[in-house]
Amino acid sequence: VALLLELATGRQEAFEALPDEYRRPLARALRDISPDDQMMAKVTLVGRTARREITLEPKDRSLWSDRLGARQRVGTPTFSGILKSVSLRGKTPKIAIEEGPSVSWFRIRKGEHDDTIGPKLNRRVRVLANTDGDSEVMPVAEDILLDET
């Protein structure tokens, strides 16, 4: 919890000190629990042992989105639309986004978006996808962001 509170302050040195395999999941978690100013105006994290409070505001969502975006591969395909379907069960968890009459399906990695996808349902999102150049295979959603524009 102390590390999470330290990261939530937005301190770059705490973020950079993390091993690579922890940076992305923690940054995504902080981004997704930060308020979007539509459903929530602010979120307060309280550490039991640290006896510290950190209040996250909508600007913090943008900060973490920027940090995640800076780590995206150049040329990662981006899709926009309304998140209309989430299926976390079965062998291949997947989501669908709708843009007008068009529906696009994406695979998601098991357990990767389970805790953060619910509040995004029926809202405008951007999906950063990995298509691996094979049009026969459903693309993998690397990240699912609320579209804040």
Side-chain angles (χ1 to χ4, degrees):
V1 173
L3 176 60
L4 193 57
L5 288 171
E6 192 72 19
L7 286 170
T9 64
R11 293 185 31 194
Q12 185 71 23
E13 60 273 7
F15 183 70
E16 293 299 329
L18 287 172
D20 288 341
E21 63 270 16
Y22 293 112
R23 277 189 200 137
R24 188 164 184 71
L26 283 171
R28 183 180 291 150
L30 284 163
R31 180 200 63 207
D32 287 346
I33 65 171
S34 294
D36 61 1
D37 213 20
Q38 290 179 17
M39 294 179 72
M40 286 183 285
K42 63 181 172 179
V43 172
T44 302
L45 301 175
V46 180
R48 286 187 208 181
T49 57
R51 300 278 190 249
R52 286 181 35 191
E53 285 189 11
I54 300 293
T55 299
L56 299 172
E57 298 175 357
K59 65 178 176 55
D60 296 307
R61 180 178 285 270
S62 297
L63 171 98
W64 290 109
S65 291
D66 290 347
R67 285 197 181 155
L68 283 161
R71 300 196 176 280
Q72 287 296 325
R73 286 191 333 245
V74 173
T76 300
T78 303
F79 302 84
S80 294
I82 306 297
L83 180 62
K84 285 295 190 177
S85 177
V86 176
S87 173
L88 300 176
R89 296 179 186 251
K91 186 176 179 180
T92 307
K94 58 190 173 219
I95 62 167
I97 63 168
E98 190 176 281
E99 184 64 34
S102 175
V103 176
S104 300
W105 287 90
F106 302 88
R107 290 179 290 144
I108 57 176
R109 291 185 180 90
K110 252 189 193 316
E112 192 164 313
H113 299 282
D114 295 12
D115 296 333
T116 60
I117 194 105
K120 298 173 186 173
L121 193 59
N122 292 317
R123 297 185 64 195
R124 179 161 284 286
V125 296
R126 283 185 299 129
V127 175
L128 303 173
N130 180 353
T131 57
D132 285 334
D134 188 349
S135 61
E136 299 296 316
V137 177
M138 189 184 309
V140 175
E142 297 292 339
D143 203 356
I144 305 160
L145 303 95
L146 281 175
D147 196 346
E148 299 159 325
T149 58

